[in-house]
Amino acid sequence: MSLPKDFLWGGALAAHQFEGGVLETSKGLSVADVMTAGTKDTPRIITDGVEEGRYYPNHIGNDFYHHYKEDIAYMADMGFKCFRTSIAWTRIFPKGDEELPDEEGLAFYDDVFDELLKNNIEPVITLSHFEMPYHLAKEYGGFMNRKVIDFFVKFAKVCFERYKDKVKYWMTFNEINNQMNYKNDIFGWTNSGVHFNDYDDPEKAMYQCGINELIASAKAVKVGHEINPDFMIGNMISMVPYYPYSCRPADQVLALEMMHQRYFWSDTQIRGHIPSYALKMFERKGWNFEITEEDKQALKEGTVDYLGFSYYMSNTVDSTVNKDVSRSLDGSSPHSVDNPYIKVSDWGWGIDPEGLRYSLNAFYERYEIPLFIVENGFGAIDIKEEDGSCHDPYRIDYLREHIKALKKAVEEDGVDLMGYTPWGCIDCVSFTTGEFKKRYGFIYVDRNNDGTGTLVRSKKDSYEWYKKVISSNGEEL
Ligand code: BG6
C-alpha cells in the first residue's frame, strides 16, 4: 500500500512572510506590514501605519519578489508537485476599496504562476493569509464592517477570473479560527483587521467578525465555482487537537467543548450552516448577530470542496485549570496543561506526530471530503557552517515522523488526503514572533533578526532528504 500517485508533495509560504517588494512597488500596506519584530516573550507591536525608526521584517521577507525564479528552480529540483502561497490582497487592491485592480500586482502573479507551471508545479493559492489591506482595517473597521465582505468577494473574483487557467487549487482564509484566541491582539488583527480588546465584549466582537468572514468565504467559493467549475476551493483551519488531560469525565467533556472552537469554522464551511452548539451558545449569551436569509443561503451555496489545515502540535486540557492565555501564541486554551508524554520545541510547540493521524481521522470521520495538509513543520534555530552546509537532523526527524503518521491515516485508516506542503520551505519571517531565526526551510536564507544578511540561499541537509521522499512518493523516509 502506498500514497496515491498524484499525491501533491510540495511546500508552503505566505506572501507577507516571504515576498518583500513592499515599499518599492505599487503594493499597498497590509495589516502585516505594520507589525514590528518581536520574540517568543516580547509581542510584535501593531503600529498606526509605518512609523519612522521601527523595523518591519515583512517589508523584505526573504525577498522572493526579486528571487522568485531562483526559488522556483530550487522547488523544481526538489521535485515539488505543488507550491502553496498566497496572493497579497494589497498587490491587487492596494487599499482594498478601489474600483479597478492594480495591473502591476496582477502581472507579478502571472509571472510567478507561469514560472511554476513551466516547472510542472501546481500553484495552490490562499486568497487571504493574514494580509488584508491596512486601509480596510483602519478606515472600515475590518471584518466588523459588512462592506468588507463585498471587498473580499470582489478581490476573490478578480483573482479567479485572471488566473482561471493557471490555478486550480484555492483556499479562502488562512487559519480562520486563530482568532478564537481573541484576547491576543495579533490573531484578531491578522484574521479580521480588528482589535477585539477595544470592544466591550471582545468574544462577541470576534464572533461577529468571524461570521462575516464565513459569509465572505462562502460567497467567494460560489463565485469561483461559477467562473471555473473545475476549481477545487478549500477552507483552511489551524488544527491543534485538544486532548483530555485525564479520563475524568469532566476532562472528556471539556476537550469536546474546546474542539467546538475548531469545528465551528469547518462545520460552517463544509456543512453550509452554523452548527447547533454555536447557535445555542449565542442564545445563552444573548447575542443576536446580523445573519440575513441571504447570508444563510450564501453559506449553503458556498461549501468548500476540500478541507485544508495546518498541523504543528496538539494541546491538552484539564478541567481543574483556568488560566490567562492572552499572551499565548501556540493554540493554548485557559485550561491547557503540559502533556507529560510529548516534548516541545524551543518555542514551546508540542511535538506530536500521532496527533496528525488523530486529526486526519477526526476530520475525515466528521466530513468525508478530501483533506489537504497545507502546513506542518519544525521551527528551529539553524546554524550555517563555514563551508555553507546546514545540518538540521531535528527537522528531518520531525517531518519523517509526521509523514509516517499521515501515511498510516491514508494506508490504514482510508483517509482521502490530497497532499502535504510543509511550512516555510524557504526560510521566512515567523508569523507569531516576526523573527527570522525561527526557521522551517529546506533552503537556508542568509538573513538575521535585525534585518542584516545577504539573502543568499543555500541547501540544508533536509533538502536532499525531502527530495528523496518526494521521488519515492513517501516510501524512502
Ligand atoms: C501558521 C501560519 O499559523 O503557522 C503561518 O499559517 C505561520 O503563517 C506558521 O508562519 C508558523 O508559525 P510561526 O509563528 O512559527 O511562523
Side-chain angles (χ1 to χ4, degrees):
M1 286 216 288
S2 53
L3 292 172
K5 288 214 163 15
D6 55 355
F7 191 74
L8 289 167
W9 294 100
L13 282 162
H16 71 106
Q17 287 168 266
F18 85 126
E19 274 181 7
V22 170
L23 300 179
E24 81 278 22
T25 62
S26 60
K27 180 184 172 313
L29 284 183
S30 77
V31 290
D33 293 326
V34 298
M35 287 166 58
T36 65
T39 66
K40 175 170 164 267
D41 306 308
T42 323
R44 303 182 73 174
I45 301 166
I46 300 164
T47 59
D48 192 11
V50 170
E51 293 177 358
E52 270 298 302
R54 288 200 187 267
Y55 175 54
Y56 297 94
N58 299 54
H59 291 187
I60 300 292
N62 70 21
D63 201 28
F64 175 82
Y65 193 83
H66 298 105
H67 289 77
Y68 75 90
K69 289 197 176 167
E70 178 189 353
D71 289 346
I72 292 171
Y74 275 120
M75 294 175 200
D77 179 60
M78 271 191 281
F80 277 23
K81 312 283 183 218
C82 75
F83 172 50
R84 172 181 179 234
T85 184
S86 60
I87 292 178
W89 187 344
T90 47
R91 277 196 204 289
I92 312 305
F93 289 100
K95 290 166 83 177
D97 58 357
E98 293 88 344
E99 189 57 34
L100 295 173
D102 184 87
E103 185 51 37
E104 182 185 327
L106 286 166
F108 170 67
Y109 292 108
D110 270 323
D111 292 346
V112 171
F113 300 156
D114 288 343
E115 192 67 21
L116 288 168
L117 295 169
K118 202 168 87 191
N119 284 284
N120 299 316
I121 300 172
E122 283 276 355
V124 175
I125 300 303
T126 317
L127 286 164
S128 182
H129 191 133
F130 306 159
E131 56 219 348
M132 70 181 293
Y134 177 66
H135 176 76
L136 295 186
K138 175 110 176 124
E139 302 302 327
Y140 288 83
F143 269 99
M144 190 55 83
N145 187 334
R146 287 182 62 102
K147 284 190 187 148
V148 175
I149 300 177
D150 299 331
F151 293 136
F152 175 77
V153 177
K154 181 171 173 185
F155 158 62
K157 185 164 186 259
V158 165
C159 295
F160 290 144
E161 274 169 351
R162 176 80 170 215
Y163 308 119
K164 67 178 185 309
D165 300 321
K166 298 183 183 181
V167 178
K168 173 175 176 180
Y169 300 98
W170 300 88
M171 274 167 272
T172 53
F173 292 94
N174 183 67
E175 293 187 339
I176 189 169
N177 58 315
N178 272 354
Q179 51 201 333
M180 276 290 186
N181 185 349
Y182 55 86
K183 290 187 178 167
N184 187 328
D185 238 15
I186 190 178
F187 297 118
W189 180 248
T190 50
N191 273 144
S192 291
V194 176
H195 295 289
F196 296 136
N197 288 314
D198 290 350
Y199 286 81
D200 290 343
D201 187 340
E203 187 184 14
K204 182 178 174 193
M206 183 276 293
Y207 273 103
Q208 180 62 75
C209 288
I211 290 169
N212 288 346
E213 265 173 271
L214 288 166
I215 295 166
S217 171
K219 287 189 167 179
V221 171
K222 184 168 181 233
V223 167
H225 284 145
E226 281 161 8
I227 292 171
N228 185 346
D230 291 336
F231 279 166
M232 288 285 285
I233 312 178
N235 59 345
M236 200 302 200
I237 301 294
S238 163
M239 181 54 154
V240 181
Y242 288 112
Y243 298 157
Y245 178 66
S246 74
C247 50
R248 201 188 289 134
D251 285 359
Q252 297 290 327
V253 172
L254 175 65
L256 178 119
E257 284 174 353
M258 296 304 304
M259 285 310 291
H260 283 166
Q261 299 201 357
R262 308 253 171 271
Y263 293 137
F264 165 71
W265 310 86
S266 47
D267 282 354
T268 307
Q269 291 177 307
I270 295 169
R271 295 175 172 159
H273 57 260
I274 295 178
S276 55
Y277 55 82
L279 294 175
K280 278 288 170 198
M281 192 253 287
F282 300 163
E283 202 181 299
R284 236 175 12 252
K285 299 208 179 203
W287 295 342
N288 283 309
F289 293 121
E290 192 184 343
I291 311 173
T292 63
E293 284 311 309
E294 192 220 326
D295 294 337
K296 288 184 191 158
Q297 190 62 21
L299 290 176
K300 206 184 276 178
E301 291 174 355
T303 55
V304 292
D305 303 312
Y306 68 92
L307 189 164
F309 70 99
S310 63
Y311 176 83
Y312 292 90
M313 60 195 143
S314 59
N315 205 290
T316 302
V317 287
D318 181 333
S319 54
T320 65
V321 169
N322 201 343
K323 60 185 186 190
D324 177 22
V325 287
S326 50
R327 295 280 300 278
S328 122
L329 293 172
D330 61 2
S332 288
S333 87
H335 314 288
S336 294
V337 291
D338 291 341
N339 182 335
Y341 303 102
I342 60 177
K343 296 203 176 86
V344 297
S345 77
D346 288 345
W347 277 267
W349 291 19
I351 304 166
D352 176 17
E354 280 180 287
L356 178 58
R357 181 178 178 194
Y358 173 84
S359 300
L360 284 161
N361 273 280
F363 276 143
Y364 199 62
E365 283 170 5
R366 197 171 181 99
Y367 303 122
E368 289 193 325
I369 63 168
L371 307 180
F372 198 161
I373 303 165
V374 293
E375 284 185 35
N376 172 235
F378 191 65
I381 297 173
D382 295 331
I383 309 288
K384 188 173 167 187
E385 308 291 345
E386 299 241 314
D387 65 359
S389 60
C390 174
H391 308 302
D392 56 347
Y394 35 85
R395 179 165 299 107
I396 295 175
D397 286 346
Y398 178 99
L399 295 172
R400 179 192 293 117
E401 294 311 310
H402 284 77
I403 294 172
K404 280 187 193 164
L406 73 82
K407 278 170 66 79
K408 279 202 173 143
V410 173
E411 295 167 4
E412 295 182 25
D413 309 326
V415 168
D416 181 359
L417 181 62
M418 295 162 61
Y420 178 67
T421 56
W423 173 252
C425 49
I426 305 174
D427 289 344
C428 66
V429 176
S430 155
F431 158 55
T432 50
T433 69
E435 295 164 294
F436 211 94
K437 72 171 187 192
K438 189 181 187 193
R439 297 169 183 273
Y440 287 85
F442 304 112
I443 296 164
Y444 187 94
V445 178
D446 181 24
R447 179 104 178 145
N448 304 309
N449 274 359
D450 62 0
T452 57
T454 61
L455 294 164
V456 165
R457 277 73 167 137
S458 54
K459 300 174 190 176
K460 302 181 196 175
D461 287 356
S462 54
Y463 180 102
E464 293 299 337
W465 173 81
Y466 191 48
K467 184 173 174 175
K468 195 179 63 186
V469 172
I470 297 178
S471 66
S472 66
N473 201 23
E475 293 302 302
E476 286 180 47
L477 292 171

